[in-house]
Amino acid sequence: MFDLYSAESIIYKGNELPVFNLLYLSNKGVVSAKRMAAYHSDPDRKLVYGLQMTLATDDGGVKASYCEPTFVSLRTDRVLDVFETQEQALVAYVQANSRYADRIHQIKADPGYHGRKLPSKDYTFKVCFTGFTKADKAEITELAEAAGMKVVASVSASLDFLCCGDNAGWSKMKKANELGVSLVRHEQIRLLVETGELPESYAETQ
């Protein structure tokens, strides 16, 4: 696995990606300090996609151990600031409520802040669904394809994430883990389509 914590750049799917340190405000008003390696951006929709790890967040504080990098999409209009080092990002995180009060207010005052249906457009990534009933899989597949995602039937190194239902098979999840493919829930896919953000964990969709 690449070292997103200390490296200035990583190699992902054959491409060298620079790593950024940033302060971010989610659509739920949660401020976090992150390190992110972006591999695709969509300026028209103010979206950027990549791999990230959270250094600190409102609902968890500074993390004592560093988790595996996860796939994420972020709204560029909700980035509070970008820093040269993660130490600078962590200092800014502690001071966020006073240092970025005007910026936070400006973001929250935007009519689209709480999420809106985004027009169909190519997300340029692949998703595989497993562990769903036939009806549920058809419904979420239609949702993903309408947003421009490419839905595939098998897990491979080119897959961006595996969306797991309640009856997901261990073999696909095991293969996804071995290949470094992120595992997500269908609630996360829905939030991605509606707001442009893919939360880091299922808990954040609650």
Side-chain angles (χ1 to χ4, degrees):
M1 177 63 72
F2 43 74
D3 184 2
L4 186 57
Y5 172 61
S6 62
E8 294 184 359
S9 65
I10 64 171
I11 302 298
Y12 179 69
K13 295 186 177 180
N15 298 311
E16 183 175 8
L17 308 178
V19 177
F20 300 93
N21 304 285
L22 54 90
L23 203 63
Y24 187 76
L25 180 72
S26 76
N27 71 320
K28 289 191 174 184
V30 176
V31 175
S32 59
K34 299 178 179 291
R35 280 176 64 78
M36 179 181 187
Y39 70 82
H40 176 69
S41 63
D42 187 338
D44 292 338
R45 302 174 74 214
K46 300 179 180 179
L47 296 176
V48 61
Y49 311 100
L51 297 153
Q52 71 93 53
M53 64 193 315
T54 298
L55 302 174
T57 183
D58 278 357
D59 56 1
V62 177
K63 299 191 177 213
S65 60
Y66 300 95
C67 59
E68 291 292 335
T70 58
F71 178 89
V72 71
S73 69
L74 301 178
R75 289 277 297 272
T76 56
D77 55 345
R78 293 181 188 155
V79 174
L80 299 176
D81 210 343
V82 180
F83 308 90
E84 290 187 6
T85 69
Q86 58 187 296
E87 289 76 19
Q88 291 174 336
L90 287 169
V91 170
Y93 165 77
V94 174
Q95 303 170 349
N97 288 333
S98 58
R99 185 172 171 182
Y100 297 95
D102 291 343
R103 175 71 175 133
I104 290 173
H105 176 75
Q106 179 187 37
I107 294 173
K108 289 184 175 181
D110 188 287
Y113 169 69
H114 291 291
R116 61 188 183 277
K117 287 288 184 180
L118 299 175
S120 297
K121 199 134 183 181
D122 185 6
Y123 278 89
T124 71
F125 53 64
K126 297 178 182 178
V127 59
C128 177
F129 297 104
T130 184
F132 295 93
T133 65
K134 185 175 181 180
D136 287 344
K137 185 174 182 179
E139 190 269 337
I140 195 159
T141 295
E142 182 180 358
L143 178 72
E145 290 180 338
M149 303 182 201
K150 183 175 182 180
V151 179
V152 298
S154 60
V155 177
S156 68
S158 65
L159 191 68
D160 289 297
F161 45 78
L162 178 66
C163 184
C164 303
D166 293 337
N167 298 311
W170 171 243
S171 60
K172 279 191 176 180
M173 291 192 293
K174 180 175 182 292
K175 186 174 182 180
N177 279 323
E178 291 172 347
L179 294 173
V181 174
S182 296
L183 305 181
V184 299
R185 297 280 293 182
H186 68 89
E187 291 89 351
Q188 291 168 270
I189 296 291
R190 292 180 191 280
L191 190 62
L192 171 60
V193 173
E194 291 174 2
T195 70
E197 289 182 357
L198 181 75
E200 297 170 42
S201 67
Y202 170 67
E204 292 182 44
T205 67
Q206 303 305 296

